[in-house]
Amino acid sequence: MAATFKSIKSVVPLFDRILVQRFKPDTKTASGLFLPTSATSGTLPEATVIAVGPGVPDRSGKLVTPSVSAGDRVLLPNWGGNSIKVGDEEYFFFKDSDILAKIKE
């Protein structure tokens, strides 16, 4: 079953879900040489946050907001996440607690 979305902006995460787009490995060197697919087949553990859910209530009912916001660069685990495709692009949902780190520039 494939979901159809007109735009990634129409996808709004719920609860403590984070929508990210993973960085793609470079397929070309700085000097213009193309790298073979065997050298670029892995995914990088870095991603850009596209959208963030509102958070989840704690035991007292107070809303706990996620620790990242749209536009942040984050470090992801190599496992997990639920993927969706919008056009040719692939995006992933992770829980806020699955995000390993925020990358400061």
Side-chain angles (χ1 to χ4, degrees), residues 67-90:
S67 56
V68 296
S69 57
D72 286 347
R73 288 180 51 198
V74 294
L75 187 64
L76 300 172
N78 289 330
W79 48 268
N82 296 351
S83 66
I84 61 169
K85 281 197 137 198
V86 178
D88 292 337
E89 297 294 325
E90 189 171 23

Side-chain angles (χ1 to χ4, degrees), residues 12-103:
V12 179
L14 299 176
F15 304 111
D16 64 341
R17 301 290 195 275
I18 311 294
L19 179 65
V20 299
Q21 184 176 26
R22 287 184 182 264
F23 291 137
K24 295 178 184 164
D26 290 333
T27 57
K28 194 163 69 167
T29 64
S31 61
L33 296 174
F34 286 96
L35 299 170
T37 55
S38 62
T40 61
S41 61
T43 58
L44 297 176
E46 295 179 37
T48 301
V49 176
I50 304 299
V52 178
V56 292
D58 63 7
R59 291 178 188 233
S60 65
K62 183 181 176 201
L63 189 67
V64 178
T65 59
S67 56
V68 296
S69 57
D72 286 347
R73 288 180 51 198
V74 294
L75 187 64
L76 300 172
N78 289 330
W79 48 268
N82 296 351
S83 66
I84 61 169
K85 281 197 137 198
V86 178
D88 292 337
E89 297 294 325
E90 189 171 23
Y91 299 88
F92 294 87
F93 283 104
F94 283 91
K95 283 191 165 192
D96 184 45
S97 59
D98 289 341
I99 305 289
L100 300 175
K102 191 186 303 188
I103 301 171

